[in-house]
Amino acid sequence: MCYEQAQLKFVHYGCVRTCVEGGSFQHETMSLRLSPALRHLRANKFACNNCLRKKHTKISDEVHGMLRVDHAGEFGANRIYAGQMAVLAGRSKSAALIQHMWDQEKEHKKIFDDLMVKHRVRPTALMPFWHIAGFLLGAGSAVLGEKSAMACTVAVEASIVEHYNDQLRKLANDNPEKHAEIMAAIKKCRDEEQEHHDTGLDKGAEQAFLYKAMTAVIKVGCKAAIALSTKV
């Protein structure tokens, strides 16, 4: 293999994250585990980091932050749906619909996984926290019933759609041609998040117990998560 073809990879094992770069490796958390496809990079003592960098497009720190928070958001959304399915799978008529939305969220996360690697963006250090918090939010809303689960979806997706629209405006005002790939990814995710929001309303989210209070609290939590994940 030509060493110039080596690529930066992020290997996720639950909450353990490892950054592998050419022949070197760095611990992002407490342990290192390499996938078989990347072991040859560790063995190679002559891999050139300069060659690796040529394969990655330079983007601003602000766009780095956008990708970091979007990746964290899609990760958190996956955990929310995981929590809801843990409670509702096999017990609710809405389970198939929730699974469909979850499958789309998995695709969204894959999109940002790839962009993170391509642009050499580190994940947020808060991933272990969002891993737990997202699941608890999803499971907690589902325990209150299907409509509460849908209310959670409405609140989260409303926050994400607003966030994505803000990003699209910034990127369009900066350099839409340079950011075309990132904007296309955000638009795709934004449109499907809007569908999830509308589906939640169609399925009776507003009939949930304490709907206004619940959605208000969740939206505040989402805004805090966005602010933290952008920087940390």
Side-chain angles (χ1 to χ4, degrees):
M1 171 183 177
C2 174
Y3 301 137
E4 292 186 359
Q5 295 175 347
Q7 301 222 354
L8 180 72
K9 297 288 183 180
F10 287 101
V11 186
H12 293 269
Y13 289 89
C15 294
V16 178
R17 183 176 69 252
T18 302
C19 176
V20 181
E21 183 179 353
S24 63
F25 55 90
Q26 304 164 353
H27 292 278
E28 287 285 331
T29 53
M30 53 197 169
S31 67
L32 172 68
R33 298 173 65 183
L34 296 180
S35 66
L38 301 177
R39 285 176 185 154
H40 69 282
L41 295 179
R42 180 181 177 183
N44 171 28
K45 297 180 180 179
F46 304 103
C48 175
N49 288 342
N50 290 330
C51 293
L52 297 176
R53 293 189 180 97
K54 292 178 182 178
K55 296 297 181 180
H56 300 276
T57 305
K58 290 184 179 180
I59 56 176
S60 68
D61 289 343
E62 183 177 15
V63 179
H64 266 249
M66 289 183 181
L67 292 179
R68 181 179 301 112
V69 70
D70 292 351
H71 176 263
E74 296 300 345
F75 175 82
N78 271 270
R79 296 300 296 158
I80 290 171
Y81 283 117
Q84 291 184 347
M85 287 300 292
V87 174
L88 298 176
R91 305 174 188 173
S92 167
K93 295 179 180 179
S94 298
L97 177 59
I98 293 173
Q99 182 64 57
H100 169 69
M101 293 190 289
W102 187 11
D103 289 341
Q104 289 183 312
E105 296 295 349
K106 291 177 182 177
E107 183 181 352
H108 296 175
K109 181 178 176 295
K110 175 62 168 57
I111 290 171
F112 284 105
D113 280 341
D114 293 342
L115 287 172
M116 295 275 281
V117 171
K118 179 174 182 178
H119 296 289
R120 302 181 57 133
V121 180
R122 66 164 179 81
T124 175
L126 298 173
M127 291 285 278
F129 179 77
W130 302 142
H131 181 85
I132 297 171
F135 187 89
L136 291 177
L137 176 58
S141 64
V143 165
L144 298 175
E146 293 180 15
K147 289 181 172 58
S148 291
M150 291 299 171
C152 175
T153 295
V154 168
V156 171
E157 302 295 23
S159 299
I160 293 176
V161 169
E162 180 181 358
H163 167 69
Y164 279 153
N165 282 334
D166 287 342
Q167 287 188 337
L168 288 169
R169 282 190 289 269
K170 289 179 181 179
L171 293 173
N173 289 333
D174 179 27
N175 189 332
E177 292 184 1
K178 178 180 178 180
H179 303 308
E181 181 186 22
I182 295 174
M183 291 179 69
I186 293 174
K187 286 178 181 178
K188 172 181 169 55
C189 295
R190 187 272 314 272
D191 291 346
E192 291 183 355
E193 307 295 8
Q194 184 65 56
E195 290 178 8
H196 298 174
H197 171 274
D198 297 344
T199 297
L201 291 177
D202 291 341
K203 294 299 179 180
E206 293 174 309
Q207 300 171 26
F209 179 66
L210 296 177
Y211 170 77
K212 290 185 178 181
M214 178 190 298
T215 53
V217 169
I218 292 174
K219 287 179 180 180
V220 169
C222 287
K223 289 182 179 179
I226 288 170
L228 288 171
S229 296
T230 301
K231 300 295 183 182
V232 180

Short mmCIF file of all heavy atoms in Angstrom, two decimals, residues 190-218:
data_model
loop_
_atom_site.label_atom_id
_atom_site.label_comp_id
_atom_site.label_asym_id
_atom_site.label_seq_id
_atom_site.Cartn_x
_atom_site.Cartn_y
_atom_site.Cartn_z
N ARG A 190 -31.07 17.92 7.69
CA ARG A 190 -32.09 18.90 8.10
C ARG A 190 -33.47 18.53 7.60
O ARG A 190 -34.47 18.57 8.34
CB ARG A 190 -31.67 20.28 7.59
CG ARG A 190 -32.52 21.48 8.06
CD ARG A 190 -33.73 21.74 7.14
NE ARG A 190 -33.43 21.72 5.73
CZ ARG A 190 -33.03 22.80 5.03
NH1 ARG A 190 -32.86 23.95 5.61
NH2 ARG A 190 -32.82 22.67 3.71
N ASP A 191 -33.56 18.14 6.33
CA ASP A 191 -34.86 17.80 5.74
C ASP A 191 -35.48 16.58 6.40
O ASP A 191 -36.70 16.54 6.65
CB ASP A 191 -34.71 17.56 4.24
CG ASP A 191 -34.37 18.83 3.47
OD1 ASP A 191 -34.51 19.93 4.06
OD2 ASP A 191 -33.96 18.72 2.29
N GLU A 192 -34.65 15.59 6.72
CA GLU A 192 -35.19 14.38 7.35
C GLU A 192 -35.53 14.63 8.82
O GLU A 192 -36.48 14.04 9.35
CB GLU A 192 -34.20 13.23 7.19
CG GLU A 192 -34.11 12.79 5.73
CD GLU A 192 -33.19 11.60 5.51
OE1 GLU A 192 -32.54 11.15 6.48
OE2 GLU A 192 -33.12 11.11 4.36
N GLU A 193 -34.78 15.52 9.48
CA GLU A 193 -35.13 15.89 10.86
C GLU A 193 -36.48 16.63 10.88
O GLU A 193 -37.28 16.43 11.79
CB GLU A 193 -34.05 16.79 11.48
CG GLU A 193 -32.62 16.27 11.41
CD GLU A 193 -32.38 15.01 12.22
OE1 GLU A 193 -33.35 14.43 12.75
OE2 GLU A 193 -31.22 14.60 12.32
N GLN A 194 -36.72 17.45 9.86
CA GLN A 194 -38.01 18.13 9.76
C GLN A 194 -39.14 17.13 9.59
O GLN A 194 -40.23 17.28 10.17
CB GLN A 194 -38.00 19.11 8.59
CG GLN A 194 -39.27 19.95 8.46
CD GLN A 194 -39.48 20.89 9.62
OE1 GLN A 194 -38.62 21.71 9.94
NE2 GLN A 194 -40.63 20.78 10.29
N GLU A 195 -38.89 16.08 8.82
CA GLU A 195 -39.89 15.02 8.65
C GLU A 195 -40.18 14.34 9.99
O GLU A 195 -41.35 14.06 10.31
CB GLU A 195 -39.39 13.98 7.65
CG GLU A 195 -39.35 14.46 6.21
CD GLU A 195 -38.81 13.41 5.26
OE1 GLU A 195 -38.61 12.25 5.72
OE2 GLU A 195 -38.57 13.72 4.09
N HIS A 196 -39.15 14.09 10.77
CA HIS A 196 -39.35 13.47 12.09
C HIS A 196 -40.19 14.38 12.99
O HIS A 196 -41.07 13.90 13.71
CB HIS A 196 -37.99 13.21 12.75
CG HIS A 196 -37.13 12.25 11.99
ND1 HIS A 196 -35.82 11.98 12.36
CD2 HIS A 196 -37.37 11.49 10.89
CE1 HIS A 196 -35.30 11.11 11.52
NE2 HIS A 196 -36.22 10.80 10.61
N HIS A 197 -39.88 15.67 12.95
CA HIS A 197 -40.65 16.64 13.73
C HIS A 197 -42.12 16.61 13.35
O HIS A 197 -43.02 16.53 14.22
CB HIS A 197 -40.07 18.04 13.49
CG HIS A 197 -40.88 19.15 14.06
ND1 HIS A 197 -41.93 19.73 13.38
CD2 HIS A 197 -40.80 19.81 15.25
CE1 HIS A 197 -42.46 20.68 14.12
NE2 HIS A 197 -41.79 20.76 15.26
N ASP A 198 -42.39 16.64 12.04
CA ASP A 198 -43.78 16.66 11.57
C ASP A 198 -44.49 15.34 11.88
O ASP A 198 -45.69 15.33 12.20
CB ASP A 198 -43.81 16.93 10.06
CG ASP A 198 -43.26 18.31 9.72
OD1 ASP A 198 -43.14 19.15 10.62
OD2 ASP A 198 -42.94 18.53 8.52
N THR A 199 -43.75 14.25 11.80
CA THR A 199 -44.33 12.94 12.14
C THR A 199 -44.74 12.90 13.60
O THR A 199 -45.81 12.37 13.94
CB THR A 199 -43.31 11.82 11.85
OG1 THR A 199 -43.01 11.79 10.46
CG2 THR A 199 -43.85 10.46 12.28
N GLY A 200 -43.90 13.45 14.46
CA GLY A 200 -44.23 13.48 15.88
C GLY A 200 -45.52 14.24 16.14
O GLY A 200 -46.36 13.81 16.95
N LEU A 201 -45.69 15.37 15.47
CA LEU A 201 -46.93 16.13 15.63
C LEU A 201 -48.13 15.34 15.11
O LEU A 201 -49.20 15.33 15.74
CB LEU A 201 -46.82 17.47 14.89
CG LEU A 201 -45.83 18.49 15.47
CD1 LEU A 201 -45.77 19.73 14.59
CD2 LEU A 201 -46.23 18.87 16.90
N ASP A 202 -47.95 14.67 13.97
CA ASP A 202 -49.04 13.87 13.39
C ASP A 202 -49.45 12.73 14.31
O ASP A 202 -50.62 12.30 14.29
CB ASP A 202 -48.62 13.30 12.03
CG ASP A 202 -48.49 14.38 10.96
OD1 ASP A 202 -49.04 15.48 11.16
OD2 ASP A 202 -47.81 14.12 9.94
N LYS A 203 -48.51 12.24 15.10
CA LYS A 203 -48.79 11.10 15.99
C LYS A 203 -49.22 11.52 17.39
O LYS A 203 -49.21 10.70 18.32
CB LYS A 203 -47.56 10.19 16.07
CG LYS A 203 -47.21 9.51 14.74
CD LYS A 203 -48.35 8.62 14.26
CE LYS A 203 -48.04 7.95 12.93
NZ LYS A 203 -49.14 7.08 12.46
N GLY A 204 -49.61 12.76 17.54
CA GLY A 204 -50.22 13.18 18.80
C GLY A 204 -49.28 13.70 19.86
O GLY A 204 -49.61 13.67 21.05
N ALA A 205 -48.13 14.21 19.47
CA ALA A 205 -47.17 14.71 20.45
C ALA A 205 -47.77 15.78 21.36
O ALA A 205 -47.50 15.81 22.56
CB ALA A 205 -45.94 15.27 19.74
N GLU A 206 -48.58 16.65 20.78
CA GLU A 206 -49.15 17.76 21.55
C GLU A 206 -50.17 17.31 22.58
O GLU A 206 -50.58 18.09 23.44
CB GLU A 206 -49.78 18.78 20.60
CG GLU A 206 -48.76 19.48 19.71
CD GLU A 206 -49.40 20.39 18.68
OE1 GLU A 206 -50.30 19.92 17.96
OE2 GLU A 206 -49.00 21.57 18.60
N GLN A 207 -50.57 16.04 22.51
CA GLN A 207 -51.51 15.49 23.49
C GLN A 207 -50.79 14.88 24.69
O GLN A 207 -51.42 14.39 25.63
CB GLN A 207 -52.38 14.42 22.84
CG GLN A 207 -53.22 14.94 21.68
CD GLN A 207 -53.91 13.83 20.92
OE1 GLN A 207 -54.17 12.76 21.46
NE2 GLN A 207 -54.18 14.08 19.65
N ALA A 208 -49.47 14.91 24.67
CA ALA A 208 -48.68 14.34 25.77
C ALA A 208 -48.89 15.14 27.05
O ALA A 208 -49.18 16.34 27.03
CB ALA A 208 -47.20 14.33 25.40
N PHE A 209 -48.74 14.47 28.17
CA PHE A 209 -48.87 15.10 29.47
C PHE A 209 -47.80 16.17 29.64
O PHE A 209 -46.62 15.91 29.41
CB PHE A 209 -48.74 14.04 30.58
CG PHE A 209 -48.84 14.59 31.97
CD1 PHE A 209 -50.03 15.13 32.43
CD2 PHE A 209 -47.75 14.55 32.83
CE1 PHE A 209 -50.14 15.64 33.71
CE2 PHE A 209 -47.85 15.05 34.12
CZ PHE A 209 -49.05 15.60 34.56
N LEU A 210 -48.20 17.38 30.01
CA LEU A 210 -47.29 18.51 30.19
C LEU A 210 -46.43 18.77 28.96
O LEU A 210 -45.22 18.99 29.04
CB LEU A 210 -46.40 18.28 31.42
CG LEU A 210 -47.12 18.22 32.78
CD1 LEU A 210 -46.13 17.90 33.89
CD2 LEU A 210 -47.83 19.54 33.08
N TYR A 211 -47.08 18.73 27.79
CA TYR A 211 -46.36 18.87 26.52
C TYR A 211 -45.50 20.13 26.46
O TYR A 211 -44.31 20.07 26.12
CB TYR A 211 -47.35 18.87 25.36
CG TYR A 211 -46.75 19.25 24.03
CD1 TYR A 211 -45.99 18.34 23.30
CD2 TYR A 211 -46.93 20.53 23.49
CE1 TYR A 211 -45.42 18.69 22.09
CE2 TYR A 211 -46.37 20.89 22.28
CZ TYR A 211 -45.61 19.96 21.59
OH TYR A 211 -45.05 20.31 20.38
N LYS A 212 -46.10 21.28 26.79
CA LYS A 212 -45.36 22.55 26.67
C LYS A 212 -44.16 22.59 27.60
O LYS A 212 -43.07 23.04 27.21
CB LYS A 212 -46.31 23.72 26.93
CG LYS A 212 -47.34 23.93 25.83
CD LYS A 212 -48.17 25.18 26.09
CE LYS A 212 -49.17 25.42 24.96
NZ LYS A 212 -49.98 26.65 25.19
N ALA A 213 -44.36 22.14 28.84
CA ALA A 213 -43.26 22.15 29.80
C ALA A 213 -42.15 21.18 29.38
O ALA A 213 -40.96 21.51 29.43
CB ALA A 213 -43.77 21.78 31.19
N MET A 214 -42.56 19.99 28.95
CA MET A 214 -41.58 18.99 28.54
C MET A 214 -40.74 19.47 27.36
O MET A 214 -39.51 19.39 27.38
CB MET A 214 -42.27 17.68 28.16
CG MET A 214 -41.32 16.60 27.67
SD MET A 214 -42.17 15.17 26.94
CE MET A 214 -43.10 14.60 28.36
N THR A 215 -41.40 19.97 26.33
CA THR A 215 -40.67 20.40 25.13
C THR A 215 -39.79 21.61 25.42
O THR A 215 -38.69 21.73 24.86
CB THR A 215 -41.63 20.71 23.98
OG1 THR A 215 -42.63 21.65 24.42
CG2 THR A 215 -42.33 19.44 23.51
N ALA A 216 -40.24 22.49 26.30
CA ALA A 216 -39.44 23.67 26.64
C ALA A 216 -38.14 23.26 27.33
O ALA A 216 -37.06 23.78 27.01
CB ALA A 216 -40.24 24.61 27.53
N VAL A 217 -38.24 22.32 28.26
CA VAL A 217 -37.06 21.86 28.99
C VAL A 217 -36.09 21.15 28.04
O VAL A 217 -34.88 21.37 28.09
CB VAL A 217 -37.47 20.92 30.14
CG1 VAL A 217 -36.24 20.23 30.73
CG2 VAL A 217 -38.21 21.68 31.22
N ILE A 218 -36.63 20.31 27.17
CA ILE A 218 -35.78 19.57 26.23
C ILE A 218 -35.07 20.53 25.28
O ILE A 218 -33.88 20.35 24.97
CB ILE A 218 -36.60 18.53 25.45
CG1 ILE A 218 -37.08 17.42 26.39
CG2 ILE A 218 -35.78 17.93 24.31
CD1 ILE A 218 -38.03 16.42 25.75
#
